[in-house]
Structures are given as C-alpha cells and as structure tokens.
C-alpha cells in the first residue's frame, strides 16, 4: 500500500472510532442532563418519603420491590452527596458536553469521508472534550463520597478515551506536515 492510501485508511479508522465514542458521549451527556433536570432538590426522595412501589407497576416493568427501593436509594445518593452548586454545574457541563460531542461527531465524519478535515478544528474539538473531562473530574472530586464513588471511574475512562483520540489527531497532523502538506 502506498503511504497516502495507508494514511487514508488510518484516518478513516480514527474517524470511525471517534464517531462511535462521540455517539456514546452524546447519549451519556444527554442522560446526565436529563437526570439533573428530573432529580431536583425538594423531591419526595430527598424528603424521605417511602417509595410508591405498587405491585401492578412493578409487574408491568418487570421489577422486584427491592429493585424499586434501590432506585429510590440511587436518587437519594445523588441528592445527599451533591453540594448546592453541583446540580447547576452538571446541567451546564452536560449541555456543553452535548455540544462538544456534536462538534466531535461532525469533525469525525470528515475523517471517515477522507475529505482531509481541518486538523486545527479536530484538535480543538478533542482538546475541548479533554478539558470537559478534567472539569467534570474536579467537580466530582468535590462531591460527597457516595456520588464520588459512582462518577469518578466513568469520568476517568472518558478522559483517557478523549486523550487517546487527541493524541491520534495531533500525531496524524504532524505526519501530514512531514509529508509536505
């Protein structure tokens, strides 16, 4: 294979992997945004009101009574471990994450199409994702221990995924400049 063909194949693979992770990030951030909007302070879960786990609804959803009670506990963990600033931060962070995932998705499609995407824009979009991961990590570190235990590992995983993609894009841009582009 010629060097140009190898570069196109490598760029297409990078684009395909980046599209996959951008879609997963988009879903993850949208889910987090929905969670923060729905789970609000002053809800019945925070007030300690017992879960309304009706037998007919449990049967319809295929849940046990214990699973229903554990779902309420998850909501209580989120509310009890969140500092007062955390919810508004998470809403802004998730909304920005959604926008960054969409930008990354668009940039990644350029890699797949072989259109020689704008490497500066690609580097900026992946660097933005890394920055958002770092911000999310520091926010999670400053929450209560239960919420911190739930959120730090996924944040670290996203950080390393985005860092690897950023390194691949930076490395690909340096190789292109070495080829005389």
């Amino acid at each position: 294979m010629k060097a140009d063909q190898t570069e196109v194949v490598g760029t297409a693979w990078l684009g395909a992997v980046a599209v996959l992770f951008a879609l997963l990030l988009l879903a993850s951030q949208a889910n987090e945004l929905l969670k923060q909007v729905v789970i609000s302070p002053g809800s019945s879960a925070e007030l300690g009101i017992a879960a309304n786990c009706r037998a007919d609804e449990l049967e319809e959803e295929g849940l046990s009574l214990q699973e229903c009670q554990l779902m309420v506990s998850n909501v209580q963990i989120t509310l009890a471990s969140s500092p007062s600033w955390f919810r508004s931060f998470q809403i802004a962070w998730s909304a920005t994450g959604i926008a960054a995932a969409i930008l990354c998705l668009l940039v990644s499609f350029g890699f797949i199409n072989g259109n020689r995407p704008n490497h500066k824009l690609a580097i900026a979009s992946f660097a933005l994702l890394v920055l958002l991961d770092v911000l999310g990590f520091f926010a999670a570190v400053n929450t209560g221990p239960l919420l911190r235990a739930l959120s730090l590992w996924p944040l670290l995983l996203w950080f390393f995924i985005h860092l690897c993609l950023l390194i691949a894009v930076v490395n690909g841009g340096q190789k292109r400049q070495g080829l005389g582009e």
Side-chain angles (χ1 to χ4, degrees), residues 23-76:
L23 288 172
L24 289 172
L25 180 65
L26 182 61
S28 175
Q29 292 290 3
N31 192 37
E32 181 63 28
L33 181 61
L34 180 63
K35 178 176 135 184
Q36 293 302 323
V37 169
V38 170
I39 300 176
S40 60
S43 66
S44 59
E46 185 181 39
L47 299 174
I49 298 172
N52 184 10
C53 299
R54 295 189 346 225
D56 61 327
E57 287 184 1
L58 293 175
E59 186 178 327
E60 183 179 312
E61 296 294 328
L63 297 172
S64 68
L65 178 60
Q66 186 178 18
E67 287 174 312
C68 179
Q69 292 167 341
L70 288 172
M71 287 191 296
V72 172
S73 295
N74 279 338
V75 172
Q76 289 171 335

Side-chain angles (χ1 to χ4, degrees), residues 76 92 101 106 150:
Q76 289 171 335
L106 295 174
L150 290 173

Side-chain angles (χ1 to χ4, degrees), residues 6-163:
T6 304
E7 181 184 344
V8 169
V9 170
T11 302
W13 270 105
L14 174 62
V17 169
V19 164
L20 172 68
F21 283 124
L23 288 172
L24 289 172
L25 180 65
L26 182 61
S28 175
Q29 292 290 3
N31 192 37
E32 181 63 28
L33 181 61
L34 180 63
K35 178 176 135 184
Q36 293 302 323
V37 169
V38 170
I39 300 176
S40 60
S43 66
S44 59
E46 185 181 39
L47 299 174
I49 298 172
N52 184 10
C53 299
R54 295 189 346 225
D56 61 327
E57 287 184 1
L58 293 175
E59 186 178 327
E60 183 179 312
E61 296 294 328
L63 297 172
S64 68
L65 178 60
Q66 186 178 18
E67 287 174 312
C68 179
Q69 292 167 341
L70 288 172
M71 287 191 296
V72 172
S73 295
N74 279 338
V75 172
Q76 289 171 335
I77 286 170
T78 300
L79 292 168
S81 294
S82 298
S84 60
W85 56 267
F86 187 71
R87 183 170 183 257
S88 58
F89 172 83
Q90 282 296 100
I91 290 172
W93 180 76
S94 295
T96 306
I98 289 169
I102 291 170
L103 174 62
C104 180
L105 192 62
L106 295 174
V107 168
S108 299
F109 280 132
F111 284 110
I112 292 172
N113 292 335
N115 293 342
R116 299 217 183 245
N118 183 337
H119 269 75
K120 289 181 181 179
L121 181 60
I123 290 170
S125 69
F126 289 113
L128 175 62
L129 291 174
V130 170
L131 176 65
L132 286 172
D133 294 334
V134 170
L135 289 173
F137 180 82
F138 282 118
V141 165
N142 290 300
T143 63
L146 297 173
L147 187 58
R148 189 170 46 238
L150 290 173
S151 58
L152 284 184
W153 286 112
L155 286 167
L156 277 174
L157 181 63
W158 279 116
F159 170 76
F160 286 114
I161 289 169
H162 294 144
L163 185 62

